[in-house]
Amino acid sequence: NAGVTQTPKFRVLKTGQSMTLLCAQDMNHEYMYWYRQDPGMGLRLIHYSVGEGTTAKGEVPDGYNVSRLKKQNFLLGLESAAPSQTSVYFCASSLEGVEQFFGPGTRLTVL
Amino acid sequence: AQSVTQPDIHITVSEGASLELRCNYSYGATPYLFWYVQSPGQGLQLLLKYFSGDTLVQGIKGFEAEFKRSQSSFNLRKPSVHWSDAAEYFCAVVPNDYKLSFGAGTTVTVRA
């Protein structure tokens, strides 16, 4: 039982490049979330999903897209990376939308 | 605006001393309440949670938290701090729409 895993752990992009972050969970959870963490701001919700095939915007969705084609996976895409998207990204999942279980994070640097 | 406030950005405490981290929230109804800990370069680990019932909840690593409805607070405490407790601590709430809202975090430094 791996819980919540994230791929990759680290990534460096140039401005304008695109990439996809993968989140996978093996707990059969309905809810999945993407957050970004920046110093002094806690974690802020980017997008979330309440079930396979559904997605919704969170607090800071601009510049990101997501997809939940399979229940166990939640993908976060950056179509044209900007330096402001330099951050640590965390994925989380939840069975009933209350207690969330977090992945180890992905550290992204955009030059 | 609905929010979660952690008034202390940084706290320094001596090893063996007690620790209290403050958390206040501003939501109409009592939300679900959580405390998470994050060690440097690591993910978030759940320390404890409050859903209902006894307002004093016990967590892992010797931590406890007390929910006070009248003060809209959920403060975290530990009677005797260990050097390994140096980390960043986040208070979080789920109001009623299954989205977690985090405070900005409190960094705890433990001095020998």
Side-chain angles (χ1 to χ4, degrees), chain A residues 31 33 35 37 40-43 45 48 50 90 97-100 102-104 107, chain B residues 32 34 36 38 41-44 46 49 51 88 90 94 98-100 102-104:
Chain A
Y31 298 80
Y33 309 81
Y35 296 89
Q37 183 181 28
M41 304 190 75
L43 276 75
L45 183 64
Y48 63 101
V50 300
F90 287 99
V98 179
E99 183 174 349
Q100 294 185 18
F102 286 82
R107 188 172 297 274
Chain B
Y32 300 108
F34 304 84
Y36 288 89
Q38 185 181 33
Q42 302 297 311
L44 280 79
L46 180 66
K49 59 191 175 187
F51 290 176
E88 190 162 18
F90 293 96
V94 174
Y98 47 78
K99 289 181 285 185
L100 205 57
F102 283 85

Tab-separated table of all heavy atoms in Angstrom, chain A residues 31 33 35 37 40-43 45 48 50 90 97-100 102-104 107, chain B residues 32 34 36 38 41-44 46 49 51 88 90 94 98-100 102-104:
chain	number	residue	atom	x	y	z
A	31	TYR	N	-11.976	11.540	-3.699
A	31	TYR	CA	-11.544	12.929	-3.820
A	31	TYR	C	-10.039	13.012	-4.002
A	31	TYR	O	-9.280	12.326	-3.322
A	31	TYR	CB	-11.920	13.717	-2.562
A	31	TYR	CG	-13.394	13.794	-2.278
A	31	TYR	CD1	-14.058	12.737	-1.671
A	31	TYR	CD2	-14.114	14.939	-2.598
A	31	TYR	CE1	-15.409	12.810	-1.406
A	31	TYR	CE2	-15.471	15.022	-2.324
A	31	TYR	CZ	-16.115	13.957	-1.737
A	31	TYR	OH	-17.458	14.035	-1.474
A	33	TYR	N	-6.812	16.113	-4.853
A	33	TYR	CA	-6.538	17.550	-4.779
A	33	TYR	C	-5.120	17.845	-5.232
A	33	TYR	O	-4.217	17.035	-5.026
A	33	TYR	CB	-6.669	18.042	-3.331
A	33	TYR	CG	-7.942	17.651	-2.625
A	33	TYR	CD1	-8.097	16.384	-2.061
A	33	TYR	CD2	-8.991	18.563	-2.501
A	33	TYR	CE1	-9.267	16.032	-1.401
A	33	TYR	CE2	-10.165	18.217	-1.841
A	33	TYR	CZ	-10.293	16.954	-1.299
A	33	TYR	OH	-11.449	16.608	-0.643
A	35	TYR	N	-2.338	21.016	-4.563
A	35	TYR	CA	-2.009	22.223	-3.832
A	35	TYR	C	-0.637	22.714	-4.276
A	35	TYR	O	0.204	21.950	-4.730
A	35	TYR	CB	-1.920	21.954	-2.324
A	35	TYR	CG	-3.188	21.526	-1.654
A	35	TYR	CD1	-3.530	20.176	-1.578
A	35	TYR	CD2	-4.034	22.458	-1.066
A	35	TYR	CE1	-4.697	19.778	-0.941
A	35	TYR	CE2	-5.196	22.068	-0.420
A	35	TYR	CZ	-5.514	20.726	-0.368
A	35	TYR	OH	-6.665	20.330	0.266
A	37	GLN	N	2.557	25.034	-2.441
A	37	GLN	CA	3.035	25.570	-1.180
A	37	GLN	C	4.116	26.597	-1.455
A	37	GLN	O	5.138	26.283	-2.074
A	37	GLN	CB	3.580	24.468	-0.267
A	37	GLN	CG	4.022	25.005	1.087
A	37	GLN	CD	4.591	23.933	1.984
A	37	GLN	OE1	5.131	22.934	1.535
A	37	GLN	NE2	4.443	24.127	3.288
A	40	GLY	N	5.364	31.193	3.657
A	40	GLY	CA	4.502	32.142	4.336
A	40	GLY	C	3.054	32.128	3.905
A	40	GLY	O	2.263	32.950	4.374
A	41	MET	N	2.687	31.192	3.025
A	41	MET	CA	1.307	31.191	2.515
A	41	MET	C	0.589	29.874	2.761
A	41	MET	O	-0.539	29.686	2.312
A	41	MET	CB	1.303	31.521	1.027
A	41	MET	CG	1.994	32.833	0.708
A	41	MET	SD	1.768	33.373	-0.971
A	41	MET	CE	0.091	33.960	-0.896
A	42	GLY	N	1.219	28.960	3.445
A	42	GLY	CA	0.566	27.675	3.659
A	42	GLY	C	0.379	26.947	2.345
A	42	GLY	O	1.119	27.152	1.376
A	43	LEU	N	-0.612	26.092	2.301
A	43	LEU	CA	-0.942	25.378	1.072
A	43	LEU	C	-2.199	25.988	0.481
A	43	LEU	O	-3.170	26.243	1.188
A	43	LEU	CB	-1.180	23.891	1.348
A	43	LEU	CG	0.048	23.003	1.399
A	43	LEU	CD1	0.810	23.206	2.698
A	43	LEU	CD2	-0.333	21.545	1.222
A	45	LEU	N	-5.133	25.619	-2.592
A	45	LEU	CA	-5.755	24.638	-3.473
A	45	LEU	C	-5.781	25.139	-4.905
A	45	LEU	O	-6.281	26.235	-5.196
A	45	LEU	CB	-7.176	24.357	-2.980
A	45	LEU	CG	-7.967	23.300	-3.734
A	45	LEU	CD1	-7.300	21.929	-3.590
A	45	LEU	CD2	-9.402	23.253	-3.205
A	48	TYR	N	-9.320	20.463	-7.792
A	48	TYR	CA	-9.654	19.248	-7.090
A	48	TYR	C	-10.660	18.435	-7.910
A	48	TYR	O	-11.190	18.915	-8.921
A	48	TYR	CB	-10.216	19.547	-5.698
A	48	TYR	CG	-11.520	20.316	-5.682
A	48	TYR	CD1	-12.720	19.668	-5.481
A	48	TYR	CD2	-11.525	21.700	-5.836
A	48	TYR	CE1	-13.911	20.370	-5.459
A	48	TYR	CE2	-12.711	22.412	-5.813
A	48	TYR	CZ	-13.901	21.748	-5.622
A	48	TYR	OH	-15.069	22.453	-5.603
A	50	VAL	N	-13.889	15.428	-7.372
A	50	VAL	CA	-14.741	14.691	-6.437
A	50	VAL	C	-15.087	13.305	-6.963
A	50	VAL	O	-15.906	12.611	-6.369
A	50	VAL	CB	-16.022	15.484	-6.107
A	50	VAL	CG1	-15.660	16.821	-5.483
A	50	VAL	CG2	-16.882	15.668	-7.332
A	90	PHE	N	1.839	19.683	-3.954
A	90	PHE	CA	1.401	18.512	-3.206
A	90	PHE	C	0.077	18.016	-3.742
A	90	PHE	O	-0.839	18.797	-4.036
A	90	PHE	CB	1.233	18.841	-1.715
A	90	PHE	CG	2.526	19.011	-0.986
A	90	PHE	CD1	3.048	20.269	-0.740
A	90	PHE	CD2	3.225	17.897	-0.535
A	90	PHE	CE1	4.252	20.431	-0.075
A	90	PHE	CE2	4.433	18.049	0.130
A	90	PHE	CZ	4.943	19.308	0.362
A	97	GLY	N	-13.859	13.266	1.510
A	97	GLY	CA	-13.747	14.705	1.373
A	97	GLY	C	-13.460	15.433	2.669
A	97	GLY	O	-13.581	16.651	2.735
A	98	VAL	N	-13.042	14.703	3.708
A	98	VAL	CA	-12.709	15.366	4.967
A	98	VAL	C	-11.223	15.177	5.268
A	98	VAL	O	-10.410	16.066	5.043
A	98	VAL	CB	-13.587	14.844	6.118
A	98	VAL	CG1	-13.200	15.520	7.424
A	98	VAL	CG2	-15.063	15.100	5.818
A	99	GLU	N	-10.859	14.006	5.776
A	99	GLU	CA	-9.444	13.775	6.078
A	99	GLU	C	-8.681	13.503	4.793
A	99	GLU	O	-9.052	12.639	4.007
A	99	GLU	CB	-9.293	12.604	7.029
A	99	GLU	CG	-7.860	12.355	7.448
A	99	GLU	CD	-7.748	11.276	8.509
A	99	GLU	OE1	-8.784	10.866	9.060
A	99	GLU	OE2	-6.612	10.835	8.769
A	100	GLN	N	-7.593	14.256	4.612
A	100	GLN	CA	-6.812	14.127	3.382
A	100	GLN	C	-5.455	13.511	3.677
A	100	GLN	O	-4.845	13.766	4.715
A	100	GLN	CB	-6.635	15.492	2.724
A	100	GLN	CG	-7.954	16.081	2.234
A	100	GLN	CD	-7.785	17.375	1.488
A	100	GLN	OE1	-6.700	17.721	1.016
A	100	GLN	NE2	-8.866	18.123	1.340
A	102	PHE	N	-1.614	13.084	2.102
A	102	PHE	CA	-0.764	13.836	1.197
A	102	PHE	C	0.362	12.993	0.612
A	102	PHE	O	0.906	12.095	1.270
A	102	PHE	CB	-0.160	15.037	1.925
A	102	PHE	CG	-1.152	16.134	2.147
A	102	PHE	CD1	-2.028	16.095	3.209
A	102	PHE	CD2	-1.237	17.202	1.259
A	102	PHE	CE1	-2.972	17.095	3.408
A	102	PHE	CE2	-2.163	18.210	1.449
A	102	PHE	CZ	-3.033	18.150	2.518
A	103	GLY	N	0.737	13.344	-0.606
A	103	GLY	CA	1.923	12.796	-1.222
A	103	GLY	C	3.164	13.515	-0.741
A	103	GLY	O	3.078	14.487	0.009
A	104	PRO	N	4.348	13.075	-1.204
A	104	PRO	CA	5.612	13.639	-0.720
A	104	PRO	C	5.983	14.971	-1.345
A	104	PRO	O	6.910	15.634	-0.878
A	104	PRO	CB	6.631	12.564	-1.102
A	104	PRO	CG	6.026	11.897	-2.284
A	104	PRO	CD	4.546	11.913	-2.064
A	107	ARG	N	9.007	19.355	-6.235
A	107	ARG	CA	9.627	20.688	-6.222
A	107	ARG	C	9.882	21.116	-7.649
A	107	ARG	O	10.669	20.481	-8.355
A	107	ARG	CB	10.923	20.649	-5.423
A	107	ARG	CG	11.545	22.023	-5.191
A	107	ARG	CD	12.725	21.937	-4.227
A	107	ARG	NE	12.326	21.487	-2.902
A	107	ARG	CZ	11.878	22.276	-1.948
A	107	ARG	NH1	11.774	23.589	-2.161
A	107	ARG	NH2	11.560	21.783	-0.771
B	32	TYR	N	-14.506	20.799	10.437
B	32	TYR	CA	-13.581	19.742	10.824
B	32	TYR	C	-12.199	20.394	10.968
B	32	TYR	O	-11.799	21.210	10.142
B	32	TYR	CB	-13.539	18.660	9.753
B	32	TYR	CG	-14.864	18.001	9.507
B	32	TYR	CD1	-15.572	18.245	8.336
B	32	TYR	CD2	-15.405	17.131	10.443
B	32	TYR	CE1	-16.799	17.641	8.097
B	32	TYR	CE2	-16.629	16.518	10.211
B	32	TYR	CZ	-17.316	16.780	9.035
B	32	TYR	OH	-18.527	16.190	8.793
B	34	PHE	N	-7.900	20.187	11.838
B	34	PHE	CA	-6.721	19.342	11.716
B	34	PHE	C	-5.468	20.123	12.092
B	34	PHE	O	-5.399	21.337	11.927
B	34	PHE	CB	-6.540	18.855	10.263
B	34	PHE	CG	-7.717	18.120	9.699
B	34	PHE	CD1	-8.779	18.804	9.147
B	34	PHE	CD2	-7.754	16.738	9.722
B	34	PHE	CE1	-9.870	18.133	8.620
B	34	PHE	CE2	-8.843	16.054	9.202
B	34	PHE	CZ	-9.899	16.754	8.650
B	36	TYR	N	-1.352	19.544	11.026
B	36	TYR	CA	-0.349	18.798	10.264
B	36	TYR	C	1.039	19.297	10.648
B	36	TYR	O	1.217	20.466	11.003
B	36	TYR	CB	-0.527	19.003	8.765
B	36	TYR	CG	-1.724	18.316	8.147
B	36	TYR	CD1	-2.953	18.947	8.089
B	36	TYR	CD2	-1.600	17.039	7.610
B	36	TYR	CE1	-4.049	18.323	7.514
B	36	TYR	CE2	-2.688	16.407	7.018
B	36	TYR	CZ	-3.912	17.057	6.981
B	36	TYR	OH	-4.993	16.433	6.396
B	38	GLN	N	5.129	19.383	9.145
B	38	GLN	CA	5.980	19.206	7.969
B	38	GLN	C	7.432	19.413	8.365
B	38	GLN	O	7.823	20.526	8.705
B	38	GLN	CB	5.588	20.180	6.868
B	38	GLN	CG	6.357	19.980	5.571
B	38	GLN	CD	5.958	20.975	4.496
B	38	GLN	OE1	5.609	22.119	4.788
B	38	GLN	NE2	5.989	20.546	3.241
B	41	GLY	N	11.774	19.672	3.886
B	41	GLY	CA	11.880	18.863	2.678
B	41	GLY	C	10.948	17.670	2.623
B	41	GLY	O	11.069	16.842	1.708
B	42	GLN	N	10.026	17.605	3.560
B	42	GLN	CA	9.125	16.455	3.621
B	42	GLN	C	7.691	16.852	3.300
B	42	GLN	O	7.369	18.035	3.164
B	42	GLN	CB	9.169	15.826	5.016
B	42	GLN	CG	10.555	15.380	5.447
B	42	GLN	CD	11.120	14.301	4.561
B	42	GLN	OE1	10.465	13.302	4.272
B	42	GLN	NE2	12.339	14.498	4.088
B	43	GLY	N	6.845	15.852	3.209
B	43	GLY	CA	5.422	16.098	3.020
B	43	GLY	C	4.737	16.392	4.336
B	43	GLY	O	5.386	16.612	5.359
B	44	LEU	N	3.417	16.405	4.306
B	44	LEU	CA	2.627	16.727	5.501
B	44	LEU	C	2.177	15.452	6.199
B	44	LEU	O	1.669	14.526	5.568
B	44	LEU	CB	1.401	17.549	5.130
B	44	LEU	CG	1.650	19.030	4.907
B	44	LEU	CD1	2.241	19.278	3.532
B	44	LEU	CD2	0.368	19.824	5.080
B	46	LEU	N	-0.267	14.059	9.333
B	46	LEU	CA	-1.377	14.418	10.207
B	46	LEU	C	-1.010	14.149	11.655
B	46	LEU	O	-0.626	13.032	12.017
B	46	LEU	CB	-2.620	13.616	9.830
B	46	LEU	CG	-3.866	13.883	10.666
B	46	LEU	CD1	-4.367	15.310	10.434
B	46	LEU	CD2	-4.964	12.878	10.335
B	49	LYS	N	-6.839	15.329	14.716
B	49	LYS	CA	-8.021	15.869	14.051
B	49	LYS	C	-9.173	15.959	15.043
B	49	LYS	O	-9.214	15.207	16.018
B	49	LYS	CB	-8.417	14.983	12.869
B	49	LYS	CG	-8.727	13.545	13.286
B	49	LYS	CD	-8.842	12.639	12.079
B	49	LYS	CE	-9.040	11.183	12.550
B	49	LYS	NZ	-8.994	10.228	11.415
B	51	PHE	N	-13.429	16.138	14.902
B	51	PHE	CA	-14.667	16.138	14.134
B	51	PHE	C	-15.837	16.516	15.034
B	51	PHE	O	-16.676	17.328	14.674
B	51	PHE	CB	-14.909	14.765	13.504
B	51	PHE	CG	-13.951	14.410	12.393
B	51	PHE	CD1	-13.990	13.165	11.792
B	51	PHE	CD2	-13.002	15.314	11.942
B	51	PHE	CE1	-13.115	12.833	10.766
B	51	PHE	CE2	-12.115	14.993	10.926
B	51	PHE	CZ	-12.178	13.748	10.325
B	88	GLU	N	7.619	22.687	10.711
B	88	GLU	CA	6.565	23.670	10.469
B	88	GLU	C	5.226	22.994	10.717
B	88	GLU	O	5.001	21.862	10.296
B	88	GLU	CB	6.639	24.227	9.050
B	88	GLU	CG	5.724	25.416	8.831
B	88	GLU	CD	6.065	26.243	7.606
B	88	GLU	OE1	6.787	25.738	6.728
B	88	GLU	OE2	5.596	27.397	7.525
B	90	PHE	N	0.998	23.225	10.592
B	90	PHE	CA	-0.114	23.852	9.895
B	90	PHE	C	-1.435	23.442	10.532
B	90	PHE	O	-1.694	22.260	10.732
B	90	PHE	CB	-0.143	23.431	8.417
B	90	PHE	CG	1.017	23.935	7.625
B	90	PHE	CD1	2.131	23.152	7.415
B	90	PHE	CD2	0.980	25.213	7.070
B	90	PHE	CE1	3.218	23.615	6.672
B	90	PHE	CE2	2.052	25.685	6.321
B	90	PHE	CZ	3.170	24.882	6.130
B	94	VAL	N	-11.765	21.977	7.342
B	94	VAL	CA	-12.699	21.665	6.269
B	94	VAL	C	-14.039	22.200	6.730
B	94	VAL	O	-14.656	21.628	7.623
B	94	VAL	CB	-12.792	20.158	6.000
B	94	VAL	CG1	-13.875	19.872	4.973
B	94	VAL	CG2	-11.453	19.620	5.517
B	98	TYR	N	-15.776	20.043	1.685
B	98	TYR	CA	-14.694	19.090	1.439
B	98	TYR	C	-13.429	19.701	0.859
B	98	TYR	O	-12.641	19.034	0.226
B	98	TYR	CB	-15.190	17.899	0.572
B	98	TYR	CG	-15.991	18.261	-0.661
B	98	TYR	CD1	-15.380	18.719	-1.811
B	98	TYR	CD2	-17.367	18.141	-0.661
B	98	TYR	CE1	-16.103	19.054	-2.924
B	98	TYR	CE2	-18.101	18.467	-1.768
B	98	TYR	CZ	-17.478	18.927	-2.895
B	98	TYR	OH	-18.211	19.255	-4.006
B	99	LYS	N	-13.223	20.987	1.041
B	99	LYS	CA	-11.966	21.597	0.647
B	99	LYS	C	-11.225	22.057	1.885
B	99	LYS	O	-11.788	22.732	2.735
B	99	LYS	CB	-12.226	22.778	-0.295
B	99	LYS	CG	-12.703	22.364	-1.673
B	99	LYS	CD	-12.924	23.550	-2.574
B	99	LYS	CE	-14.198	24.286	-2.208
B	99	LYS	NZ	-14.500	25.383	-3.161
B	100	LEU	N	-9.955	21.689	1.944
B	100	LEU	CA	-9.144	22.001	3.110
B	100	LEU	C	-8.578	23.409	2.986
B	100	LEU	O	-8.016	23.761	1.951
B	100	LEU	CB	-8.012	20.979	3.189
B	100	LEU	CG	-7.343	20.660	4.512
B	100	LEU	CD1	-8.334	20.185	5.529
B	100	LEU	CD2	-6.264	19.615	4.300
B	102	PHE	N	-5.871	26.012	4.746
B	102	PHE	CA	-4.718	25.980	5.627
B	102	PHE	C	-4.410	27.355	6.198
B	102	PHE	O	-4.594	28.379	5.535
B	102	PHE	CB	-3.480	25.518	4.862
B	102	PHE	CG	-3.426	24.044	4.614
B	102	PHE	CD1	-4.066	23.491	3.516
B	102	PHE	CD2	-2.736	23.207	5.475
B	102	PHE	CE1	-4.021	22.128	3.280
B	102	PHE	CE2	-2.684	21.847	5.244
B	102	PHE	CZ	-3.325	21.308	4.152
B	103	GLY	N	-3.878	27.348	7.408
B	103	GLY	CA	-3.233	28.541	7.915
B	103	GLY	C	-1.869	28.678	7.263
B	103	GLY	O	-1.401	27.790	6.551
B	104	ALA	N	-1.213	29.801	7.528
B	104	ALA	CA	0.070	30.082	6.886
B	104	ALA	C	1.218	29.290	7.495
B	104	ALA	O	2.314	29.237	6.921
B	104	ALA	CB	0.374	31.574	6.955
